Amino acid sequence: MQSNRHPLKIGLQIAVGDVFFYGYGCAPGTLWLANPMSVAAYLARTSPAGGQGGDAATLDIIAKAIYPARDRTVDHVDVIRTESGVADGAAIFLIDRQFVLFVAPFEHPDAADVQRTAMLRIAESLPASLSRTLLPIIGSGHFEERSFLVLPRCTALSAGRLGRFLDKKRVADDILPWLRDLAAWKAHAPDDPGRFIASLNALIRMDDLPVAVRETAQRIKRQLRDGAIRPWHVPMHGDLWRNNVMRRDDGSLAVIDWAGSEVDGYGIYDLVRFKQSFNIADARYRSELRWYAELMGGEDAVMAHLLGALGHYADRLGEFPRERFVTLAADCYALLNSGLSGRPHG
């Protein structure tokens, strides 16, 4: 969900000289100029105690995290942002023109740690071929009680209409096969349906969801109990929209913001969200769904994965507004139905 649900929303874009440095999770085309505030000054301004370390001490902490061999110091710090539109949004700094430093806000001091833990959990659980879209963690640590994380600098996808059009196929050609690989990873090891059923129950309890969604959840639940659907859990990013797909310096793609991810997730939600954000061609979307239906054992099994994911998040809304979730769930359900039936969505 592109929302305040995830513990760490990272991103913005700044210009330094003639070079654009794009951050994470930002709306392409948003331009922020460098701010002279240092990391230490930011910590002092946003901590009730005023912060305890000066510039030299703060830069030394950053240098130890990025350059553990202690063979160099931090020479350049540019501010990407120090304010966020969400309560747990990180302050973001560009370090030595090649690394991005995320500093958790005082009110949510573990936000960067949450992101780091999620990235490590996913990376350690997947074979190297499936974790290829993750960025390496350059460094991490704490400024007093506040966590920070350092990742490589990446570039946002194109902001203009033509660039977005050209990006669509290039990104789909990379991301869609990766999603297939994730779904097929444990395809021959069905899991106990208990968690799927618990997630469906969460949807069934939501009286403000469309009747069709709740009735379908009831039907899928019966099939799971009867053994007609034999599900397995699939690694799931959970927020696979345009601003969470970045381009590395070598041109390869990286997926960011893994705070809401699940190693044992559900295998269709990311595809539907990708379709929503990138608006891939209907024919290609239907082709993908046919592949998933064959892999999973039918269209109802595909629906079980989507509703399983939605129910998983229904039980974990946190600060995400319920009414927005209801709208999101209804739209995802309708988009999957339209793809499976071949009828236009909306």
Side-chain angles (χ1 to χ4, degrees), residues 3 6-13 22-27 80-81 83-84 86 88-93 100-105 111-112 115-116 119 135 149-152 237 239 241 243-246 255-259:
S3 70
H6 292 317
L8 182 61
K9 281 293 168 191
I10 48 182
L12 257 316
Q13 164 188 332
Y22 296 88
Y24 299 77
C26 61
I80 300 178
R81 78 171 186 204
E83 304 291 340
S84 172
V86 295
D88 51 10
I92 308 173
F93 301 84
V100 181
L101 167 71
F102 306 97
V103 182
Q115 183 70 224
R116 175 182 179 274
M119 294 177 69
L135 290 171
L149 177 69
V150 183
L151 299 177
H237 179 271
D239 198 17
W241 69 300
N243 289 1
N244 281 340
V245 180
M246 309 290 290
V255 176
I256 61 164
D257 194 359
W258 290 85

Side-chain angles (χ1 to χ4, degrees), residues 230-243:
R230 301 187 64 202
W232 64 90
H233 289 284
V234 175
M236 176 176 69
H237 179 271
D239 198 17
L240 192 59
W241 69 300
R242 183 179 185 84
N243 289 1

Side-chain angles (χ1 to χ4, degrees), residues 227-288:
I229 297 174
R230 301 187 64 202
W232 64 90
H233 289 284
V234 175
M236 176 176 69
H237 179 271
D239 198 17
L240 192 59
W241 69 300
R242 183 179 185 84
N243 289 1
N244 281 340
V245 180
M246 309 290 290
R247 197 175 301 283
R248 296 181 176 97
D249 287 346
D250 65 2
S252 63
L253 297 181
V255 176
I256 61 164
D257 194 359
W258 290 85
S261 64
E262 291 289 334
V263 174
D264 294 321
Y266 304 86
I268 206 70
Y269 180 70
D270 283 340
L271 172 64
V272 173
R273 295 290 285 121
F274 186 83
K275 163 65 173 171
Q276 286 178 319
S277 185
F278 284 86
N279 192 29
I280 58 174
D282 290 343
R284 183 160 193 181
Y285 175 56
R286 289 194 294 269
S287 175
E288 291 299 310

Side-chain angles (χ1 to χ4, degrees), residues 36-333:
M37 179 182 291
S38 68
V39 179
Y42 163 75
L43 293 170
R45 181 174 65 82
T46 57
S47 300
Q52 299 178 7
D55 286 337
T58 302
L59 291 178
D60 188 58
I61 293 172
I62 299 171
K64 287 179 180 178
I66 297 177
Y67 310 116
R70 308 293 287 149
D71 56 348
R72 61 170 295 181
T73 60
V74 171
D75 297 320
H76 298 280
V77 178
D78 297 296
V79 177
I80 300 178
R81 78 171 186 204
T82 58
E83 304 291 340
S84 172
V86 295
D88 51 10
I92 308 173
F93 301 84
L94 186 68
I95 306 298
D96 287 343
R97 310 294 171 86
Q98 57 182 325
F99 306 111
V100 181
L101 167 71
F102 306 97
V103 182
F106 176 80
E107 295 79 6
H108 299 271
D110 64 341
D113 275 344
V114 168
Q115 183 70 224
R116 175 182 179 274
T117 299
M119 294 177 69
L120 289 175
R121 182 181 67 245
I122 290 291
E124 292 168 358
S125 300
L126 299 179
S129 61
L130 296 182
S131 60
R132 61 184 182 269
T133 63
L134 273 76
L135 290 171
I137 295 173
I138 302 299
S140 62
H142 293 82
F143 301 119
E144 299 172 16
E145 299 300 320
R146 295 161 70 169
S147 58
F148 71 82
L149 177 69
V150 183
L151 299 177
R153 185 197 72 184
C154 284
T155 304
L157 299 178
S158 302
R161 181 176 298 179
L162 177 60
R164 291 169 71 95
F165 175 79
L166 295 175
D167 269 343
K168 184 188 301 186
K169 184 178 185 305
R170 296 170 184 165
V171 174
D173 286 348
D174 198 338
I175 296 297
L176 294 181
W178 172 65
L179 291 178
R180 285 190 180 195
D181 290 344
L182 289 175
W185 180 36
K186 294 185 177 180
H188 301 294
D191 293 318
D192 183 281
R195 284 184 54 205
F196 274 78
I197 291 173
S199 291
L200 294 175
N201 284 335
L203 294 182
I204 294 167
R205 291 192 299 267
M206 294 189 73
D207 293 338
D208 41 352
L209 279 175
V211 172
V213 176
R214 290 184 285 120
E215 288 182 345
T216 302
Q218 287 277 19
R219 177 170 58 81
I220 297 297
K221 176 181 170 182
R222 289 193 295 270
Q223 293 186 62
L224 286 166
R225 282 182 168 172
D226 293 342
I229 297 174
R230 301 187 64 202
W232 64 90
H233 289 284
V234 175
M236 176 176 69
H237 179 271
D239 198 17
L240 192 59
W241 69 300
R242 183 179 185 84
N243 289 1
N244 281 340
V245 180
M246 309 290 290
R247 197 175 301 283
R248 296 181 176 97
D249 287 346
D250 65 2
S252 63
L253 297 181
V255 176
I256 61 164
D257 194 359
W258 290 85
S261 64
E262 291 289 334
V263 174
D264 294 321
Y266 304 86
I268 206 70
Y269 180 70
D270 283 340
L271 172 64
V272 173
R273 295 290 285 121
F274 186 83
K275 163 65 173 171
Q276 286 178 319
S277 185
F278 284 86
N279 192 29
I280 58 174
D282 290 343
R284 183 160 193 181
Y285 175 56
R286 289 194 294 269
S287 175
E288 291 299 310
L289 290 177
R290 286 193 295 271
W291 182 89
Y292 280 89
E294 182 176 350
L295 174 74
M296 294 176 174
E299 293 181 357
D300 281 348
V302 172
M303 182 62 74
H305 276 266
L306 176 67
L307 296 184
L310 292 173
H312 171 83
Y313 288 125
D315 262 348
R316 297 163 176 80
L317 289 180
E319 297 178 5
F320 192 80
R322 183 182 175 104
E323 62 275 11
R324 286 182 60 192
F325 172 78
V326 169
T327 300
L328 173 66
D331 194 49
C332 286
Y333 174 80

